[in-house]
């Protein structure tokens, strides 16, 4: 089932270009893809000379930083763009210059299913001679241009999650795509104890295989994904229309697999209070990604970071509003009414200024 699902992904999502390997979850996919690209780029024999940093945004999930640390790398955390919340290309250029020769891998995050500019990363990778692994955890169903899954044709690995919190939800599962057959062959061996020959380890590995039952769930989800993405985009539009007082993510590309509805509260509003008040009103809201990586004790002690001004602003104001497959436009309207009710507790800036 696994092999046929991998083939189905290549055919239906990636326009029959490239290769896919399923994994038990995206975190293991990131751990292995980072290791695979380090070995490919820096060589397995010269491991002691491998540089020490993994460059990634601070505004992402813990999995990326853990994947770096499991590979003996220190996360080097960069800032994000103020509108798209994607990792800042400027900040990454600056850090790659500053830590020239010390960055082993760049791990950008396609924030909340937004479409990263992969051409820019191919260019950055070539100019700085550094490999790239994309954390596209929430991107199955997102398209940069018409009809083509985000990541299609990428020459470096793109790691997707099919965790239950993502739009492509199959319980616990992940997928790694690359246009480069060698990368996916090697990654598949790495998920299978590093067996490059029958029952014989030829490379580092662990057990990262997706179960056959997990693969069956993926196959079912494949059939309905298109309709689910369309439905979620419609609900996202209602949120955007009905909450003009909040700031929403600026989206690149033509299609977005919204996993929930992230939004920024006005600066004078305390987000923790909003979360509590909405919970009292029966609406469960989360705050992805607050705390961001540099704010979490383990990563603060085991990472390097400088200016994170935009990350700090976005993380302090972000809330993740509910979005789910069975939701209706009326549900969204009901939630928006409660958000309006809660926000009414804060006088607007003009009222404050007027005393
Ligand atoms: C969900 C998520 C992951 C982890 O995916 P799993 O399949 O749960 O391991 C990694 N990175 C980001 C940004 C995510 O949102």
């Amino acid at each position: 089932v696994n092999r046929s699902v991998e083939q189905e992904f290549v055919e239906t999502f990636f326009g029959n270009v490239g290769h896919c390997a399923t994994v038990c979850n995206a975190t293991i996919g990131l751990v292995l893809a980072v290791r695979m690209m380090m070995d490919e780029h820096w060589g397995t024999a010269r491991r002691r000379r491998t540089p020490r940093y993994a460059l990634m945004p601070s505004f992402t999930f813990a999995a990326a930083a853990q994947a770096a640390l499991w590979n003996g790398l220190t996360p080097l955390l960069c800032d994000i763009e103020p509108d798209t919340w994607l990792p800042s290309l400027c900040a990454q250029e600056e850090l790659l210059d500053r830590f020239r020769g010390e960055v082993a891998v760049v791990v950008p995050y396609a924030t909340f299913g937004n479409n990263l500019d992969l051409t820019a990363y191919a260019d950055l990778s070539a100019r700085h001679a550094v490999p790239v692994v994309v954390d596209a955890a929430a991107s199955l169903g997102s398209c940069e241009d018409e009809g083509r899954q985000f990541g299609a044709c990428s020459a470096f690995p793109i790691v997707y999650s099919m965790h239950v919190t993502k739009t492509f939800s199959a319980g616990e599962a992940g997928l790694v795509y690359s246009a480069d057959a060698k990368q996916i062959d090697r990654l598949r061996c790495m998920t299978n104890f590093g067996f490059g020959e029958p029952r014989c380890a030829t490379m580092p590995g662990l057990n990262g295989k997706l179960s056959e039952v997990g693969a069956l769930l993926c196959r079912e989800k494949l059939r309905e994904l298109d309709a689910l993405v369309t439905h979620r985009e419609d609900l996202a539009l209602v949120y955007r229309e009905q909450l003009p007082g909040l700031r929403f993510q600026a989206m690149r590309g033509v299609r977005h697999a919204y996993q929930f509805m992230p939004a920024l509260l006005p600066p004078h509003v305390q987000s923790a209070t909003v979360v509590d008040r909405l919970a009292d009103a029966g609406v469960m809201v989360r705050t992805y990604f607050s705390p961001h990586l540099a704010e979490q004790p383990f990563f603060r002690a085991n990472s390097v970071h400088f200016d994170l001004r935009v990350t700090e602003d976005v993380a302090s104001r972000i809330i993740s509003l509910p979005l789910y497959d069975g939701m209706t436009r009326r549900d969204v309207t009901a939630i928006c009414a409660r958000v309006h009710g809660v926000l009414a507790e804060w006088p607007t800036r003009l009222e404050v200024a007027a005393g």
Side-chain angles (χ1 to χ4, degrees):
V1 180
N2 244 306
R3 282 306 182 101
S4 79
V5 162
E6 290 172 348
Q7 198 47 42
E8 207 172 321
F9 268 113
V10 170
E11 284 164 14
T12 60
F13 264 79
F14 297 102
N16 237 339
V17 178
H19 308 269
C20 281
T22 55
V23 282
C24 54
N25 60 59
T27 307
I28 292 295
L30 284 166
V31 169
L32 295 177
V34 164
R35 179 61 183 263
M36 188 252 303
M37 291 306 277
M38 279 166 69
D39 288 351
E40 180 182 89
H41 190 87
W42 304 101
T44 41
R46 296 183 294 121
R47 288 213 46 91
R48 250 177 284 127
R49 291 189 49 217
T50 302
R52 7 185 222 131
Y53 294 114
L55 177 55
M56 63 182 67
S58 191
F59 192 71
T60 188
F61 189 57
Q66 297 286 18
L69 290 162
W70 276 106
N71 280 297
L73 299 172
T74 301
L76 175 60
L77 305 176
C78 71
D79 212 350
I80 50 171
E81 303 286 355
D83 299 323
T84 60
W85 311 336
L86 292 166
S88 157
L89 279 164
C90 266
Q92 289 172 100
E93 289 281 353
E94 229 174 271
L95 289 168
L96 283 165
D97 282 337
R98 184 161 177 174
F99 292 89
R100 190 180 295 277
E102 290 185 82
V103 176
V105 62
V106 181
V107 190
Y109 167 41
T111 314
F112 303 137
N114 205 356
N115 295 293
L116 271 181
D117 182 356
L118 291 178
T119 312
Y121 281 91
D123 176 58
L124 179 132
S125 169
R127 277 186 296 104
H128 293 272
V130 65
V132 173
V133 172
V134 177
D135 181 349
S139 295
L140 277 178
S142 287
C143 300
E144 186 164 1
D145 36 50
E146 215 53 62
R148 218 169 55 144
Q149 166 61 41
F150 168 79
C153 300
S154 166
F156 37 78
I158 315 283
V159 182
Y160 307 93
S161 172
M162 297 182 267
H163 184 252
V164 70
T165 53
K166 318 297 192 227
T167 300
F168 194 115
S169 151
E172 288 273 8
L175 186 77
V176 185
Y177 170 91
S178 173
D180 185 339
K182 279 196 316 295
Q183 289 174 9
I184 297 302
D185 282 349
R186 191 170 170 93
L187 195 115
R188 193 177 283 117
C189 295
M190 292 176 84
T191 67
N192 190 30
F193 315 100
F195 286 168
E197 292 164 23
R199 295 206 182 76
C200 181
T202 59
M203 65 188 84
L206 41 72
N207 182 353
K209 302 187 301 298
L210 178 62
S211 73
E212 288 286 280
V213 173
L216 264 175
L217 293 175
C218 292
R219 177 187 277 176
E220 289 307 304
K221 204 70 187 186
L222 265 167
R223 313 249 184 281
E224 58 179 15
L225 186 73
D226 203 44
L228 294 180
V229 172
T230 302
H231 179 56
R232 282 167 176 257
E233 282 193 312
D234 182 55
L235 299 175
L237 202 63
V238 178
Y239 269 124
R240 285 176 188 265
E241 283 167 4
Q242 296 197 359
L243 294 173
L246 302 192
R247 229 182 74 210
F248 291 95
Q249 187 178 18
M251 303 312 271
R252 290 187 76 255
V254 298
R255 197 162 164 77
H256 305 99
Y258 286 98
Q259 64 179 136
F260 41 72
M261 195 62 203
L264 301 190
L265 294 166
H268 62 288
V269 168
Q270 282 98 39
S271 69
T273 312
V274 170
V275 171
D276 288 348
R277 294 277 198 283
L278 283 172
D280 292 344
V283 180
M284 189 175 79
V285 165
R286 291 196 172 167
T287 58
Y288 294 104
F289 296 99
S290 175
H292 60 86
L293 296 185
E295 290 177 322
Q296 300 178 32
F298 181 61
F299 300 132
R300 194 165 56 225
N302 293 286
S303 71
V304 172
H305 50 88
F306 300 93
D307 180 10
L308 297 175
R309 228 172 306 177
V310 180
T311 303
E312 274 153 19
D313 177 49
V314 168
S316 71
R317 293 163 56 197
I318 202 151
I319 54 170
S320 327
L321 293 159
L323 206 64
Y324 50 92
D325 296 341
M327 198 176 196
T328 63
R329 287 180 142 232
R330 280 181 61 181
D331 294 330
V332 177
T333 302
I335 288 172
C336 291
R338 287 170 205 195
V339 172
H340 282 300
V342 169
L343 290 181
E345 277 185 39
W346 282 270
T348 67
R349 282 224 160 131
L350 282 175
E351 283 162 353
V352 172

